[in-house]
Amino acid sequence: MRGRHRESETLDRLLHDVRSGRSGVLVVRGEAGVGKTALLQHLVRQASGCRVTSAVGVESEMELPFAGLHQLCGSMLDRLDQLPGPQRDALGVAFGLTAGDAPDRFLVGLAVVTLLSAVSEDRPLVCVVDDAQWLDRASAQTLGFVARRVLAESVALVFGVREGPETHELEGLPELMVEGLRDDDVRALLARVVHGRLDERVADRIVAETGGNPLALLELTRGLTPAELAGGFGLPDAPALSARIEASFLRRLEQLPAETQRLLLVAAAEPVGEPGLVWAAGERLGIGVEAAAPAAASGLCEFGTRVRFRHPLVRSAVYRAASLEDRQSVHRALAAATDPDVDPDRHAWHCAHGASGPEESVAEELERSAGRAHARGGLAAAAAFLERAARLTLDPTRRADRALAAAKAKHDAGAPDAALALLATAQTGPLDELQRARVDLLRAQIAFVVGPGSDAAPLLLKAAKELEPLDVGLARETYLDAFSAAMFVGRVSGSADLLEVAQAARATPPSPKPPRAPDLLLDGLAVLITEGYPAGTPMLRRALVAFRGEDLSKEEGVRWLWLACNTAAMLWDDETWDVLSARHVRLARDAGALSVLPMALSSRIAVHLQAGQLDEAAALIEEVQAIAAATGAHVAPYGTLPLAACQGREAEAAELIKATLKDVRARGDDMGLTVTQWASAVLYNGLGRYDDALAAAQQATEHAQGSTPSLVELIEAATRSGMAADADDALRRLLDTTRSSGTDWALGIEARSRALLSHGQVAEDLYREAIDRLGRSRATVCRARAHLIYGEWLRRERRRLDAREQLRTAHEMFTAMGLEAFAQRAARELLATGETARKRTVETSGQLTAQEAHIARLAGGGLSNPEIGSQLFISPRTVEYHLHKVFGKLDINSRNQLRGALSSDPALAQAA
């Protein structure tokens, strides 16, 4: 450990924290050979009193799903029965222990969080993962998720990662950069390994060329004679350091007997390190047990209860140095030694690498492995099996079919470039019409994922039209995808708009009888866009009823409820929006659908914002951000920005608006642009900056399918800015939606908007109608704003006492909800009537973070720690940790007191 005092101290502090009941996460990063493995071994040696479990990423095993995770958690599976049912099932399927639907990574990740937390209750747990850059993607994603979710557990997660290869799953975690040793430490180490006098100029060159890399120094000097070292003749210029280290290992390999070299090749091709398999394959190749002794004596590999190479570069050097023919023969021997019933996937993998040409039987076996991998949620592995199967297929038709299946799997696994390459392969073969349409569909889906500003909408529209005569059901689903794409990208990219999609959808053959909820939704949207709200609203109401029904499958709910929620909001159906958004979040959480859950939460956040439940919205925003951090996915600020606008904190919101506008324009995100402009209008109306609010609202409503909520902001801003004509035009457009809807929310908004443009008794009647109707809806913020503008109107009518009553009500409501700008606007109006608004005392809720408030409400509602953990993707112990802090802040000491503490706090009580 020469020269590693700083690094050792960091690891020792991490162990101290874990022994004290605090989690620790560290990514030890550095170039090959710099000493990462030595530091991890130091950590293990120092971890007395802790349970240690480890895994090593293996390059040749990167396509096998959850292989690394199984290494790490395999010894803990006796605790599997202690997990909650959905988590137990997800992890069992992922590890191939049970059959079932493919588990989502979030549910697997939560299961691992719970498992590690449970194991650490006995004694602190130290998890060490070396060569994490070579973990299979499923394991890397899961461990990245886990690393971000452990908090109050006595668990340490330490990863060794080689500098260079991308490891997005571990980005943002605490890092320890391991750099080369200082020159004096290098010289001291050099003096220990080189016997005799060393020419100073040669020593200088070794120090400079190895860059303080200890393994490079040890290996590069090992194979050189004293004469070579004395004159420096053995140190020619070389490329990358890792290649030079591999070359030094190869020099030692070449000195071993041929039989030993072949045994090492078997060990390099068998990634698990299972000695039984290695010896069984070696026996088939005629290799005797005596071949192991020279390998052990050379220090390159040890054969014991596990087969372990001295360094991962030894494994790669051995494998790369072998001829293709030798590698194939070794894989064939390993395939023969692997029981196809016990481990069919590795058997298929070795068969594939052992094949010297097309082999249909192996391709079929790979297809079956792909099916098993897909069932375990190993999409990347399924894609790899299918891609290899396509290569081994001689028949061009079957090769194209397998390449198309591989492309779909690559897309699902989040590898768009690889998917497009496989699509090109598929297109070289003979494809029937349905296959060609599926190629176009997949290309369109990839385009939509790559970037909202792409040509996704027109491509999806084209694919839907091609599918109509071939598969009507798939065509109709594709039209719904096209609707979603057009909503996201419409006016920004200039691509296919909603009208074009709707006209094409109306021309498609009718749905099967009885129609499913997605069919009703498609037909209703198509009519609404082409004929308007009066024609489309009744059809969409039928669709929403179907989505609320018991016949809706989980799959349909997860896939289409976002669009159904958006439709409910369009129809001013606040009750259905509330029901469907809650259902969507529940289904997405139950399924652990990481690609869908952020959008489901965003819709739910909007529901809470309309109801004035800002704490609840903030808690869900934290969850969205945690998901983004865990997955590395980009999540548009559909919740963050509206919350900031509603709160009315000008500096914070203005900065967020500026950054968001730049981002959504760069990505071509039309929906993000509309949300940003609407949020800007809300912010500026709250601040009383009506000209700015008018400009933002006009931008949000400038196209035919403009933001309806922005019309409401436009009417208020225009009337306050003296732009009556603009307000009249916006009201005309608004009435088309509200009168077709007929809900209290819609008619209350209509009455409030008409009142702004009316006078005398007509205006007063409309204000009172607005307050009455909005009081019967969930739109609490809208009702508070109706009280505000009614009070402002009364003050201008010189009815001060009446005005005070309305303004006081508005101020109290805004203050309780946390709408600071609107509360200040009401306070200013109250002051103009001669009354000073009472300052609200700081409530206990202000002491709780959004996460703590959320957990407090769930616990107060009777949920157990495991149930809360499952909902929020944290461990039960982390829930307990947060509750302990909540108890201290609320000055209580038990869960039984939570409900009383919450009910005594108006802000928390309202959200609860």
Side-chain angles (χ1 to χ4, degrees), residues 367 383 386 400-410:
E367 274 192 310
L386 290 167
D401 191 51
R402 284 167 175 161
L404 179 56
K408 178 66 167 64
K410 286 285 187 185

Side-chain angles (χ1 to χ4, degrees), residues 74-229:
S75 63
M76 309 176 197
L77 294 183
D78 57 325
R79 301 279 192 121
L80 203 58
D81 290 340
Q82 299 177 19
L83 303 184
Q87 297 179 31
R88 180 183 63 245
D89 296 342
L91 201 58
V93 172
F95 287 167
L97 302 176
T98 58
D101 295 334
D104 194 274
R105 302 289 164 78
F106 260 145
L107 209 52
V108 174
L110 182 57
V112 176
V113 170
T114 307
L115 181 64
L116 299 187
S117 178
V119 170
S120 69
E121 289 179 359
D122 297 336
R123 51 180 172 150
L125 176 63
V126 177
C127 303
V128 178
V129 183
D130 202 1
D131 283 317
Q133 75 279 355
W134 285 336
L135 284 173
D136 61 278
R137 190 178 181 200
S139 295
Q141 285 184 333
T142 301
L143 290 174
F145 173 89
V146 171
R148 293 174 176 87
R149 306 308 279 181
V150 292
L151 175 64
E153 294 77 17
S154 298
V155 176
L157 280 167
V158 184
F159 304 90
V161 178
R162 182 182 299 183
E163 190 67 20
E166 295 181 349
T167 47
H168 298 302
E169 294 82 3
L170 303 180
E171 284 183 2
L173 296 177
E175 286 194 354
L176 173 64
M177 289 298 301
V178 183
E179 298 174 343
L181 298 173
R182 295 181 305 177
D183 284 359
D184 53 348
D185 289 317
V186 175
R187 292 181 184 278
L189 183 59
L190 188 60
R192 289 185 56 189
V193 298
V194 175
H195 303 290
R197 184 177 177 82
L198 182 65
D199 186 290
E200 280 299 318
R201 290 170 301 175
V202 175
D204 289 342
R205 184 176 181 186
I206 293 174
V207 170
E209 289 193 345
T210 57
N213 186 295
L215 184 63
L217 186 145
L218 293 172
E219 293 303 323
L220 290 177
T221 58
R222 190 187 297 270
L224 301 177
T225 66
E228 288 173 324
L229 285 170

Side-chain angles (χ1 to χ4, degrees), residues 72 99 456 508 644 827:
L72 191 71
T508 194

Side-chain angles (χ1 to χ4, degrees), residues 379-401:
L379 296 174
F385 284 131
L386 290 167
E387 183 177 12
R388 178 68 64 168
R391 291 181 186 176
L392 295 178
T393 304
L394 185 61
D395 178 74
T397 302
R398 300 202 68 177
R399 183 172 62 248
D401 191 51

Side-chain angles (χ1 to χ4, degrees), residues 20 50 371 416 494 496 860:
S20 301
C50 301

Side-chain angles (χ1 to χ4, degrees), residues 264 267 273 275 292 295-297 299-310:
L264 287 175
L300 293 177
C301 188
E302 62 180 47
F303 293 81
T305 56
R306 308 294 293 177
V307 179
R308 299 184 187 276
F309 284 94
R310 179 191 175 193

